[in-house]
PDB file of all heavy atoms in Angstrom:
ATOM      1  N   LEU A  15     -15.482  -1.972  -6.471  1.00  0.00           N
ATOM      2  CA  LEU A  15     -15.104  -0.739  -5.550  1.00  0.00           C
ATOM      3  C   LEU A  15     -13.952  -1.192  -4.738  1.00  0.00           C
ATOM      4  O   LEU A  15     -12.996  -0.307  -4.594  1.00  0.00           O
ATOM      5  CB  LEU A  15     -16.282  -0.443  -4.623  1.00  0.00           C
ATOM      6  CG  LEU A  15     -16.003   0.641  -3.688  1.00  0.00           C
ATOM      7  CD1 LEU A  15     -15.543   1.954  -4.453  1.00  0.00           C
ATOM      8  CD2 LEU A  15     -17.163   0.887  -2.820  1.00  0.00           C
ATOM      9  N   LYS A  16     -13.848  -2.485  -4.312  1.00  0.00           N
ATOM     10  CA  LYS A  16     -12.643  -2.843  -3.560  1.00  0.00           C
ATOM     11  C   LYS A  16     -11.389  -2.776  -4.403  1.00  0.00           C
ATOM     12  O   LYS A  16     -10.302  -2.278  -3.940  1.00  0.00           O
ATOM     13  CB  LYS A  16     -12.899  -4.303  -2.995  1.00  0.00           C
ATOM     14  CG  LYS A  16     -11.802  -4.857  -2.138  1.00  0.00           C
ATOM     15  CD  LYS A  16     -12.152  -6.223  -1.638  1.00  0.00           C
ATOM     16  CE  LYS A  16     -11.067  -6.807  -0.781  1.00  0.00           C
ATOM     17  NZ  LYS A  16     -11.433  -8.144  -0.182  1.00  0.00           N
ATOM     18  N   ILE A  17     -11.497  -3.341  -5.622  1.00  0.00           N
ATOM     19  CA  ILE A  17     -10.375  -3.236  -6.591  1.00  0.00           C
ATOM     20  C   ILE A  17      -9.922  -1.870  -6.812  1.00  0.00           C
ATOM     21  O   ILE A  17      -8.664  -1.641  -6.791  1.00  0.00           O
ATOM     22  CB  ILE A  17     -10.672  -4.115  -7.873  1.00  0.00           C
ATOM     23  CG1 ILE A  17     -10.884  -5.502  -7.668  1.00  0.00           C
ATOM     24  CG2 ILE A  17      -9.671  -3.776  -8.965  1.00  0.00           C
ATOM     25  CD1 ILE A  17     -11.430  -6.217  -8.845  1.00  0.00           C
ATOM     26  N   LYS A  18     -10.786  -0.981  -7.121  1.00  0.00           N
ATOM     27  CA  LYS A  18     -10.438   0.366  -7.353  1.00  0.00           C
ATOM     28  C   LYS A  18      -9.834   1.014  -6.108  1.00  0.00           C
ATOM     29  O   LYS A  18      -8.700   1.716  -6.285  1.00  0.00           O
ATOM     30  CB  LYS A  18     -11.641   1.265  -7.746  1.00  0.00           C
ATOM     31  CG  LYS A  18     -11.251   2.690  -8.149  1.00  0.00           C
ATOM     32  CD  LYS A  18     -12.460   3.432  -8.550  1.00  0.00           C
ATOM     33  CE  LYS A  18     -11.965   4.913  -8.989  1.00  0.00           C
ATOM     34  NZ  LYS A  18     -11.032   5.569  -8.021  1.00  0.00           N
ATOM     35  N   THR A  19     -10.332   0.783  -4.994  1.00  0.00           N
ATOM     36  CA  THR A  19      -9.908   1.332  -3.736  1.00  0.00           C
ATOM     37  C   THR A  19      -8.400   0.910  -3.410  1.00  0.00           C
ATOM     38  O   THR A  19      -7.546   1.780  -3.120  1.00  0.00           O
ATOM     39  CB  THR A  19     -10.847   0.974  -2.490  1.00  0.00           C
ATOM     40  OG1 THR A  19     -12.168   1.621  -2.777  1.00  0.00           O
ATOM     41  CG2 THR A  19     -10.304   1.588  -1.267  1.00  0.00           C
ATOM     42  N   LEU A  20      -8.278  -0.412  -3.530  1.00  0.00           N
ATOM     43  CA  LEU A  20      -7.038  -0.956  -3.178  1.00  0.00           C
ATOM     44  C   LEU A  20      -5.933  -0.552  -4.235  1.00  0.00           C
ATOM     45  O   LEU A  20      -4.781  -0.370  -3.863  1.00  0.00           O
ATOM     46  CB  LEU A  20      -6.959  -2.373  -2.897  1.00  0.00           C
ATOM     47  CG  LEU A  20      -7.932  -2.853  -1.681  1.00  0.00           C
ATOM     48  CD1 LEU A  20      -7.900  -4.388  -1.498  1.00  0.00           C
ATOM     49  CD2 LEU A  20      -7.549  -2.056  -0.412  1.00  0.00           C
ATOM     50  N   SER A  21      -6.333  -0.576  -5.540  1.00  0.00           N
ATOM     51  CA  SER A  21      -5.408  -0.063  -6.596  1.00  0.00           C
ATOM     52  C   SER A  21      -4.922   1.284  -6.294  1.00  0.00           C
ATOM     53  O   SER A  21      -3.724   1.573  -6.510  1.00  0.00           O
ATOM     54  CB  SER A  21      -6.056  -0.246  -7.888  1.00  0.00           C
ATOM     55  OG  SER A  21      -6.461  -1.535  -8.180  1.00  0.00           O
ATOM     56  N   ASP A  22      -5.812   2.222  -5.918  1.00  0.00           N
ATOM     57  CA  ASP A  22      -5.389   3.564  -5.688  1.00  0.00           C
ATOM     58  C   ASP A  22      -4.485   3.637  -4.405  1.00  0.00           C
ATOM     59  O   ASP A  22      -3.499   4.450  -4.446  1.00  0.00           O
ATOM     60  CB  ASP A  22      -6.705   4.468  -5.407  1.00  0.00           C
ATOM     61  CG  ASP A  22      -7.498   4.676  -6.659  1.00  0.00           C
ATOM     62  OD1 ASP A  22      -7.096   4.484  -7.715  1.00  0.00           O
ATOM     63  OD2 ASP A  22      -8.691   5.165  -6.540  1.00  0.00           O
ATOM     64  N   ILE A  23      -4.712   2.803  -3.544  1.00  0.00           N
ATOM     65  CA  ILE A  23      -3.960   2.782  -2.197  1.00  0.00           C
ATOM     66  C   ILE A  23      -2.577   2.306  -2.593  1.00  0.00           C
ATOM     67  O   ILE A  23      -1.561   2.904  -2.056  1.00  0.00           O
ATOM     68  CB  ILE A  23      -4.641   1.975  -1.212  1.00  0.00           C
ATOM     69  CG1 ILE A  23      -5.785   2.643  -0.606  1.00  0.00           C
ATOM     70  CG2 ILE A  23      -3.643   1.644   0.041  1.00  0.00           C
ATOM     71  CD1 ILE A  23      -6.709   1.855   0.316  1.00  0.00           C
ATOM     72  N   TYR A  24      -2.514   1.305  -3.410  1.00  0.00           N
ATOM     73  CA  TYR A  24      -1.182   0.702  -3.810  1.00  0.00           C
ATOM     74  C   TYR A  24      -0.356   1.711  -4.548  1.00  0.00           C
ATOM     75  O   TYR A  24       0.849   1.888  -4.216  1.00  0.00           O
ATOM     76  CB  TYR A  24      -1.357  -0.556  -4.509  1.00  0.00           C
ATOM     77  CG  TYR A  24      -0.025  -1.308  -4.639  1.00  0.00           C
ATOM     78  CD1 TYR A  24       0.374  -2.080  -3.511  1.00  0.00           C
ATOM     79  CD2 TYR A  24       0.873  -1.276  -5.668  1.00  0.00           C
ATOM     80  CE1 TYR A  24       1.605  -2.833  -3.556  1.00  0.00           C
ATOM     81  CE2 TYR A  24       2.011  -2.030  -5.756  1.00  0.00           C
ATOM     82  CZ  TYR A  24       2.392  -2.793  -4.586  1.00  0.00           C
ATOM     83  OH  TYR A  24       3.546  -3.405  -4.601  1.00  0.00           O
ATOM     84  N   VAL A  25      -0.925   2.479  -5.500  1.00  0.00           N
ATOM     85  CA  VAL A  25      -0.205   3.509  -6.130  1.00  0.00           C
ATOM     86  C   VAL A  25       0.187   4.630  -5.264  1.00  0.00           C
ATOM     87  O   VAL A  25       1.322   5.192  -5.308  1.00  0.00           O
ATOM     88  CB  VAL A  25      -1.250   4.100  -7.261  1.00  0.00           C
ATOM     89  CG1 VAL A  25      -0.561   5.337  -7.901  1.00  0.00           C
ATOM     90  CG2 VAL A  25      -1.474   2.981  -8.415  1.00  0.00           C
ATOM     91  N   LEU A  26      -0.678   5.024  -4.187  1.00  0.00           N
ATOM     92  CA  LEU A  26      -0.330   6.000  -3.250  1.00  0.00           C
ATOM     93  C   LEU A  26       1.003   5.665  -2.504  1.00  0.00           C
ATOM     94  O   LEU A  26       1.793   6.585  -2.292  1.00  0.00           O
ATOM     95  CB  LEU A  26      -1.430   6.201  -2.290  1.00  0.00           C
ATOM     96  CG  LEU A  26      -1.187   7.094  -1.124  1.00  0.00           C
ATOM     97  CD1 LEU A  26      -1.117   8.603  -1.604  1.00  0.00           C
ATOM     98  CD2 LEU A  26      -2.353   7.010  -0.110  1.00  0.00           C
ATOM     99  N   HIS A  27       1.124   4.428  -2.215  1.00  0.00           N
ATOM    100  CA  HIS A  27       2.336   4.075  -1.316  1.00  0.00           C
ATOM    101  C   HIS A  27       3.579   3.462  -1.970  1.00  0.00           C
ATOM    102  O   HIS A  27       4.644   3.487  -1.451  1.00  0.00           O
ATOM    103  CB  HIS A  27       1.892   3.125  -0.281  1.00  0.00           C
ATOM    104  CG  HIS A  27       0.876   3.691   0.784  1.00  0.00           C
ATOM    105  ND1 HIS A  27       1.256   4.626   1.697  1.00  0.00           N
ATOM    106  CD2 HIS A  27      -0.469   3.428   0.859  1.00  0.00           C
ATOM    107  CE1 HIS A  27       0.157   4.889   2.451  1.00  0.00           C
ATOM    108  NE2 HIS A  27      -0.778   4.244   1.934  1.00  0.00           N
ATOM    109  N   ARG A  28       3.344   2.839  -3.253  1.00  0.00           N
ATOM    110  CA  ARG A  28       4.383   1.956  -3.700  1.00  0.00           C
ATOM    111  C   ARG A  28       5.734   2.600  -3.934  1.00  0.00           C
ATOM    112  O   ARG A  28       6.809   1.837  -3.706  1.00  0.00           O
ATOM    113  CB  ARG A  28       3.984   1.413  -4.970  1.00  0.00           C
ATOM    114  CG  ARG A  28       3.827   2.325  -6.167  1.00  0.00           C
ATOM    115  CD  ARG A  28       3.255   1.767  -7.414  1.00  0.00           C
ATOM    116  NE  ARG A  28       3.051   2.626  -8.485  1.00  0.00           N
ATOM    117  CZ  ARG A  28       2.454   2.378  -9.740  1.00  0.00           C
ATOM    118  NH1 ARG A  28       2.081   1.074  -9.824  1.00  0.00           N
ATOM    119  NH2 ARG A  28       2.229   3.363 -10.546  1.00  0.00           N
ATOM    120  N   GLU A  29       5.844   3.871  -4.094  1.00  0.00           N
ATOM    121  CA  GLU A  29       7.159   4.513  -4.386  1.00  0.00           C
ATOM    122  C   GLU A  29       7.916   4.711  -3.134  1.00  0.00           C
ATOM    123  O   GLU A  29       9.120   4.900  -3.044  1.00  0.00           O
ATOM    124  CB  GLU A  29       6.979   5.908  -5.186  1.00  0.00           C
ATOM    125  CG  GLU A  29       6.422   5.604  -6.601  1.00  0.00           C
ATOM    126  CD  GLU A  29       7.274   4.831  -7.505  1.00  0.00           C
ATOM    127  OE1 GLU A  29       8.458   4.870  -7.264  1.00  0.00           O
ATOM    128  OE2 GLU A  29       6.677   4.014  -8.247  1.00  0.00           O
ATOM    129  N   LYS A  30       7.106   4.654  -2.008  1.00  0.00           N
ATOM    130  CA  LYS A  30       7.719   4.988  -0.568  1.00  0.00           C
ATOM    131  C   LYS A  30       8.167   3.591   0.154  1.00  0.00           C
ATOM    132  O   LYS A  30       8.779   3.748   1.102  1.00  0.00           O
ATOM    133  CB  LYS A  30       6.737   5.603   0.263  1.00  0.00           C
ATOM    134  CG  LYS A  30       6.214   6.951  -0.454  1.00  0.00           C
ATOM    135  CD  LYS A  30       5.036   7.509   0.397  1.00  0.00           C
ATOM    136  CE  LYS A  30       4.307   8.537  -0.344  1.00  0.00           C
ATOM    137  NZ  LYS A  30       3.066   9.026   0.371  1.00  0.00           N
ATOM    138  N   LEU A  31       7.776   2.526  -0.498  1.00  0.00           N
ATOM    139  CA  LEU A  31       8.095   1.287   0.148  1.00  0.00           C
ATOM    140  C   LEU A  31       9.537   0.842  -0.159  1.00  0.00           C
ATOM    141  O   LEU A  31       9.962   0.517  -1.218  1.00  0.00           O
ATOM    142  CB  LEU A  31       7.135   0.184  -0.319  1.00  0.00           C
ATOM    143  CG  LEU A  31       5.626   0.535  -0.054  1.00  0.00           C
ATOM    144  CD1 LEU A  31       4.752  -0.582  -0.610  1.00  0.00           C
ATOM    145  CD2 LEU A  31       5.347   0.691   1.498  1.00  0.00           C
ATOM    146  N   GLU A  32      10.391   0.773   0.918  1.00  0.00           N
ATOM    147  CA  GLU A  32      11.759   0.474   0.717  1.00  0.00           C
ATOM    148  C   GLU A  32      12.222  -0.817   1.398  1.00  0.00           C
ATOM    149  O   GLU A  32      13.404  -1.104   1.214  1.00  0.00           O
ATOM    150  CB  GLU A  32      12.602   1.643   1.377  1.00  0.00           C
ATOM    151  CG  GLU A  32      12.346   2.970   0.709  1.00  0.00           C
ATOM    152  CD  GLU A  32      13.169   4.190   1.335  1.00  0.00           C
ATOM    153  OE1 GLU A  32      13.917   3.921   2.384  1.00  0.00           O
ATOM    154  OE2 GLU A  32      13.181   5.173   0.594  1.00  0.00           O
ATOM    155  N   SER A  33      11.310  -1.502   2.133  1.00  0.00           N
ATOM    156  CA  SER A  33      11.754  -2.686   2.787  1.00  0.00           C
ATOM    157  C   SER A  33      10.526  -3.557   3.119  1.00  0.00           C
ATOM    158  O   SER A  33       9.411  -3.039   3.194  1.00  0.00           O
ATOM    159  CB  SER A  33      12.531  -2.337   4.043  1.00  0.00           C
ATOM    160  OG  SER A  33      11.638  -1.780   5.058  1.00  0.00           O
ATOM    161  N   PRO A  34      10.692  -4.877   3.387  1.00  0.00           N
ATOM    162  CA  PRO A  34       9.632  -5.695   3.893  1.00  0.00           C
ATOM    163  C   PRO A  34       8.904  -5.115   5.102  1.00  0.00           C
ATOM    164  O   PRO A  34       7.660  -5.205   5.114  1.00  0.00           O
ATOM    165  CB  PRO A  34      10.293  -7.041   4.083  1.00  0.00           C
ATOM    166  CG  PRO A  34      11.457  -7.021   3.148  1.00  0.00           C
ATOM    167  CD  PRO A  34      11.973  -5.648   3.236  1.00  0.00           C
ATOM    168  N   LEU A  35       9.746  -4.621   6.076  1.00  0.00           N
ATOM    169  CA  LEU A  35       9.121  -4.086   7.253  1.00  0.00           C
ATOM    170  C   LEU A  35       8.292  -2.816   6.930  1.00  0.00           C
ATOM    171  O   LEU A  35       7.184  -2.614   7.488  1.00  0.00           O
ATOM    172  CB  LEU A  35      10.183  -3.883   8.383  1.00  0.00           C
ATOM    173  CG  LEU A  35      10.810  -4.997   8.886  1.00  0.00           C
ATOM    174  CD1 LEU A  35      11.971  -4.620   9.850  1.00  0.00           C
ATOM    175  CD2 LEU A  35       9.969  -6.009   9.656  1.00  0.00           C
ATOM    176  N   GLY A  36       8.737  -2.082   6.031  1.00  0.00           N
ATOM    177  CA  GLY A  36       8.052  -0.898   5.641  1.00  0.00           C
ATOM    178  C   GLY A  36       6.791  -1.110   5.068  1.00  0.00           C
ATOM    179  O   GLY A  36       5.667  -0.529   5.282  1.00  0.00           O
ATOM    180  N   ALA A  37       6.738  -2.248   4.105  1.00  0.00           N
ATOM    181  CA  ALA A  37       5.394  -2.666   3.561  1.00  0.00           C
ATOM    182  C   ALA A  37       4.391  -3.241   4.600  1.00  0.00           C
ATOM    183  O   ALA A  37       3.332  -2.947   4.588  1.00  0.00           O
ATOM    184  CB  ALA A  37       5.814  -3.688   2.482  1.00  0.00           C
ATOM    185  N   LEU A  38       4.993  -4.048   5.559  1.00  0.00           N
ATOM    186  CA  LEU A  38       4.209  -4.558   6.579  1.00  0.00           C
ATOM    187  C   LEU A  38       3.573  -3.431   7.439  1.00  0.00           C
ATOM    188  O   LEU A  38       2.420  -3.422   7.900  1.00  0.00           O
ATOM    189  CB  LEU A  38       5.019  -5.470   7.506  1.00  0.00           C
ATOM    190  CG  LEU A  38       4.236  -6.373   8.524  1.00  0.00           C
ATOM    191  CD1 LEU A  38       3.121  -7.088   7.894  1.00  0.00           C
ATOM    192  CD2 LEU A  38       5.247  -7.309   9.224  1.00  0.00           C
ATOM    193  N   ALA A  39       4.293  -2.365   7.817  1.00  0.00           N
ATOM    194  CA  ALA A  39       3.813  -1.236   8.619  1.00  0.00           C
ATOM    195  C   ALA A  39       2.720  -0.385   7.757  1.00  0.00           C
ATOM    196  O   ALA A  39       1.844   0.121   8.246  1.00  0.00           O
ATOM    197  CB  ALA A  39       5.047  -0.264   8.991  1.00  0.00           C
ATOM    198  N   THR A  40       3.033  -0.350   6.441  1.00  0.00           N
ATOM    199  CA  THR A  40       2.108   0.402   5.625  1.00  0.00           C
ATOM    200  C   THR A  40       0.798  -0.230   5.324  1.00  0.00           C
ATOM    201  O   THR A  40      -0.228   0.458   5.443  1.00  0.00           O
ATOM    202  CB  THR A  40       2.841   0.750   4.287  1.00  0.00           C
ATOM    203  OG1 THR A  40       3.990   1.545   4.455  1.00  0.00           O
ATOM    204  CG2 THR A  40       1.811   1.550   3.412  1.00  0.00           C
ATOM    205  N   PHE A  41       0.805  -1.550   5.015  1.00  0.00           N
ATOM    206  CA  PHE A  41      -0.414  -2.171   4.685  1.00  0.00           C
ATOM    207  C   PHE A  41      -0.928  -3.173   5.742  1.00  0.00           C
ATOM    208  O   PHE A  41      -2.084  -3.661   5.631  1.00  0.00           O
ATOM    209  CB  PHE A  41      -0.120  -2.981   3.496  1.00  0.00           C
ATOM    210  CG  PHE A  41       0.112  -2.171   2.197  1.00  0.00           C
ATOM    211  CD1 PHE A  41       1.367  -2.588   1.436  1.00  0.00           C
ATOM    212  CD2 PHE A  41      -0.475  -0.997   2.001  1.00  0.00           C
ATOM    213  CE1 PHE A  41       1.687  -1.875   0.312  1.00  0.00           C
ATOM    214  CE2 PHE A  41      -0.131  -0.213   0.839  1.00  0.00           C
ATOM    215  CZ  PHE A  41       0.953  -0.662  -0.030  1.00  0.00           C
ATOM    216  N   GLY A  42      -0.171  -3.450   6.714  1.00  0.00           N
ATOM    217  CA  GLY A  42      -0.595  -4.529   7.597  1.00  0.00           C
ATOM    218  C   GLY A  42      -1.497  -4.277   8.633  1.00  0.00           C
ATOM    219  O   GLY A  42      -1.913  -3.035   8.864  1.00  0.00           O
ATOM    220  N   GLY A  43      -2.145  -5.231   9.216  1.00  0.00           N
ATOM    221  CA  GLY A  43      -2.934  -5.031  10.512  1.00  0.00           C
ATOM    222  C   GLY A  43      -2.063  -5.521  11.616  1.00  0.00           C
ATOM    223  O   GLY A  43      -0.993  -6.142  11.519  1.00  0.00           O
ATOM    224  N   PHE A  44      -2.460  -5.047  12.955  1.00  0.00           N
ATOM    225  CA  PHE A  44      -1.764  -5.459  14.010  1.00  0.00           C
ATOM    226  C   PHE A  44      -1.687  -6.968  14.227  1.00  0.00           C
ATOM    227  O   PHE A  44      -0.749  -7.622  14.636  1.00  0.00           O
ATOM    228  CB  PHE A  44      -2.182  -4.818  15.294  1.00  0.00           C
ATOM    229  CG  PHE A  44      -2.146  -3.294  15.312  1.00  0.00           C
ATOM    230  CD1 PHE A  44      -3.186  -2.488  15.593  1.00  0.00           C
ATOM    231  CD2 PHE A  44      -0.882  -2.701  15.169  1.00  0.00           C
ATOM    232  CE1 PHE A  44      -3.004  -1.156  15.648  1.00  0.00           C
ATOM    233  CE2 PHE A  44      -0.631  -1.344  15.150  1.00  0.00           C
ATOM    234  CZ  PHE A  44      -1.760  -0.600  15.364  1.00  0.00           C
TER     235      PHE A  44
END
């Protein structure tokens, strides 16, 4: 379930990620 959930999340965001900081804001924790 974790693999499916995170795979779907990565597909949802990957085209919008334009920079390291953007990826950190999208996927990171505080």
